[in-house]
Amino acid sequence: MIKAFINLFKVKETRNKILFTFFIIALFRIGSFLPVPGVDADVLKAEDSGIFNIFNTFAGGALQQFSIFAMGIMPYITASIVIQLMQMDVIPTLTEWSKQGEVGQKKTQKLTRVLAIVLAFVQSLVMSYGFNNAYSGLIKDTSILGFIAVAIVLTAGTALLLWMGDLVSQYGVGNGVSIIILGGIIARLPEGFIQVYESQIKVAENLTLALLKIAIVLIIVIGIIMSVVYMQEALRKIPIQYSQASAGRKMLGARSTFLPLKINGAGVIPVIFAVAFLQLPQTLTIFWNNETVKKIASYLSFSHWLGMTIYVALIIAFAYFYVMVQVNPEKMADNLKKQGSFIPGIRPGKNTEKYITKVLYRLTFVGSIFLAAIAVLPTIFTAIAKLPTSVQIGGTSLLIVVSVALETVKQLNTQLTERHYSGFMKNRGRRR
């Protein structure tokens, strides 16, 4: 492991990508402490509610500072949900784009970003007005122009984050948007450790019992990390048979390989989508100081059994939705047929599509239950162990961190392999 880490920095190209990624993350963290002009962020310092912690975690602590990055990239996530839903035979144009390959993906990404900016402006305008009502004195200029000015700055912050994410995807390591989320979550870890220390150890009457509780928590965290790694790497290998293969003009005999299908093919996206949806009723309590609204929102919170049930249902539903969008059994079966390959015992075409769909349903059931368990168990454990409310979404945060880290490591390994392979080919050419 250490040798592989050292090798990453020996290759100039890989080293530059890693350093560039760290540079962008550093800029993101600096921006998280730059307050929006005309805002008194001190009124938010003592806020520690569940919904506020969720917003603050995904914004990397920028919300509590009410900085230029306070909106984070949540508008982009919301826009992605809307666009992907519209592609499910709702808007014919978007459905057609989903079938156009790379060209369609570029069009969809551009539309998603435009919608994200529009949503960012609307959400920032509503958020600034609602937060000012909930926390008096937050916005100094309460005129219409004052709120619009704050909304423009927050929207510009979201646009800047998306641009920084694109730079990471192009010149750095990993998916830029995921890296931004990862950087924000990791930045919040020290504060979470401090809260646990102050609430469990500093004021503990029985220090031994408190340390035992912390040790149990650490064991559970390690267990979650190991299970996430296992589930993220687990594959179902479907055998594929090629009727014939060619090498230049020479025809080879039939050969076999396998089609890898991940058990958790949706990754962490369903959890992020579910959190975004479940935030909506909680957000209403900020804007409408009404007892009925607060009561309804309390039923739909993560700590209530009804809200937790809806949260689990949303994760499972989004897992199935996202897997079917990303894998697309119809397209996969069509590609296998065009390549002259087939699944042993299954006829090419429609039968292959049905078989792959059936396998995906079974795999996604296991993967979605796993995602829901990882997301919900920390909330239950927090209530039992009486840990700080910020730990309630620890499972979600841990899931995101581990998933993004695994994907980033895979990309780095791929780049190193390609580098060594190209170097081998160059040396071979020189010897000839």
Side-chain angles (χ1 to χ4, degrees):
M1 178 66 77
I2 298 177
K3 185 178 180 181
F5 183 76
I6 295 174
N7 288 335
L8 291 176
F9 286 89
K10 286 183 177 179
V11 180
K12 182 179 179 181
E13 183 180 354
T14 307
R15 181 175 66 246
N16 290 341
K17 287 185 176 183
I18 295 174
L19 293 177
F20 181 80
T21 302
F22 280 123
F23 173 70
I24 294 296
I25 293 176
L27 291 181
F28 166 55
R29 295 309 306 151
I30 292 172
S32 299
F33 292 93
L34 296 178
V36 175
V39 170
D40 183 12
D42 291 335
V43 299
L44 299 176
K45 298 295 184 182
E47 179 58 35
D48 192 38
S49 64
I51 182 62
F52 189 88
N53 278 324
I54 294 172
F55 275 115
N56 204 33
T57 297
F58 281 95
L63 180 58
Q64 199 154 35
Q65 307 290 336
F66 214 87
S67 73
I68 59 175
F69 293 150
M71 288 295 297
I73 60 170
M74 291 306 292
Y76 176 78
I77 294 173
T78 305
S80 299
I81 297 173
V82 172
I83 294 298
Q84 290 188 20
L85 288 174
M86 293 301 102
Q87 286 182 332
M88 302 295 288
D89 293 328
V90 177
I91 298 180
T93 302
L94 295 180
T95 305
E96 184 64 27
W97 286 0
S98 65
K99 300 177 182 178
Q100 292 179 356
E102 187 176 350
V103 176
Q105 287 181 359
K106 288 181 179 180
K107 294 178 182 178
T108 303
Q109 289 175 1
K110 185 179 293 186
L111 179 61
T112 303
R113 277 166 169 71
V114 172
L115 181 59
I117 298 302
V118 174
L119 289 176
F121 179 76
V122 174
Q123 291 180 17
S124 58
L125 190 63
V126 174
M127 187 182 77
S128 58
Y129 178 78
F131 267 66
N132 188 66
N133 287 342
Y135 311 102
S136 181
L138 177 65
I139 309 296
K140 296 178 181 179
D141 182 5
T142 55
S143 65
I144 296 177
L145 290 178
F147 285 116
I148 291 177
V150 171
I152 290 174
V153 174
L154 291 175
T155 304
T158 298
L160 182 58
L161 279 180
L162 291 178
W163 178 66
M164 291 164 63
D166 288 340
L167 289 179
V168 171
S169 298
Q170 188 174 358
Y171 303 107
V173 180
N175 179 278
V177 173
S178 300
I179 293 295
I180 294 294
I181 296 177
L182 176 67
I185 292 175
I186 291 178
R188 293 275 295 166
L189 290 180
E191 185 177 344
F193 291 143
I194 292 173
Q195 289 181 0
V196 171
Y197 170 76
E198 291 180 347
S199 63
Q200 301 298 315
I201 298 179
K202 190 176 181 180
V203 296
E205 297 180 359
N206 189 329
L207 184 60
T208 303
L209 187 62
L211 291 175
L212 180 61
K213 183 191 293 186
I214 298 300
I216 294 173
V217 171
L218 290 176
I219 293 172
I220 293 175
V221 169
I222 294 173
I224 291 175
I225 293 175
M226 293 174 63
S227 63
V228 170
V229 172
Y230 177 80
M231 290 297 291
Q232 289 296 98
E233 297 298 305
L235 295 173
R236 165 70 187 277
K237 298 179 180 180
I238 299 179
I240 299 294
Q241 188 77 30
Y242 286 84
S243 56
Q244 60 181 9
S246 62
R249 295 182 178 180
K250 184 179 179 181
M251 298 302 297
L252 303 177
R255 64 185 181 90
S256 61
T257 181
F258 63 87
L259 177 67
L261 295 178
K262 298 184 70 173
I263 292 181
N264 182 22
V268 74
I269 298 298
V271 177
I272 297 176
F273 282 5
V275 169
F277 261 73
L278 211 59
Q279 281 178 353
L280 296 177
Q282 301 295 321
T283 308
L284 293 177
T285 61
I286 299 175
F287 308 126
W288 283 280
N289 190 15
N290 184 287
E291 290 300 323
T292 303
V293 174
K294 287 183 177 180
K295 193 172 183 180
I296 294 173
S298 66
Y299 289 143
L300 299 177
S301 67
F302 295 99
S303 56
H304 195 276
W305 69 267
L306 179 60
M308 189 177 296
T309 303
I310 296 175
Y311 184 39
V312 170
L314 285 172
I315 291 175
I316 295 174
F318 276 123
Y320 276 96
F321 164 73
Y322 197 76
V323 166
M324 291 303 154
V325 170
Q326 293 297 311
V327 178
N328 197 338
E330 181 182 358
K331 186 183 295 184
M332 186 176 293
D334 187 52
N335 289 336
L336 290 174
K337 187 176 181 180
K338 290 178 180 178
Q339 295 169 3
S341 56
F342 60 93
I343 300 174
I346 307 296
R347 295 185 64 180
K350 200 67 179 177
N351 289 344
T352 299
E353 178 188 343
K354 290 180 180 179
Y355 177 78
I356 294 175
T357 302
K358 183 179 179 181
V359 173
L360 280 176
Y361 278 155
R362 292 178 176 177
L363 294 178
T364 305
F365 176 77
V366 177
S368 61
I369 295 299
F370 168 75
L371 287 176
I374 295 297
V376 167
L377 285 178
T379 303
I380 299 174
F381 186 75
T382 298
I384 296 174
K386 297 181 180 180
L387 295 174
T389 55
S390 59
V391 185
Q392 286 186 1
I393 55 172
T396 304
S397 301
L398 196 61
L399 187 63
I400 294 172
V401 169
V402 176
S403 300
V404 175
L406 283 174
E407 291 300 320
T408 304
V409 169
K410 283 182 181 178
Q411 288 195 20
L412 288 172
N413 286 334
T414 302
Q415 292 176 12
L416 281 178
T417 303
E418 291 176 351
R419 180 80 180 184
H420 291 158
Y421 179 76
S422 60
F424 169 76
M425 293 301 292
K426 288 179 181 178
N427 292 333
R428 186 179 179 183
R430 291 195 192 103
R431 286 197 297 268
R432 287 182 176 178

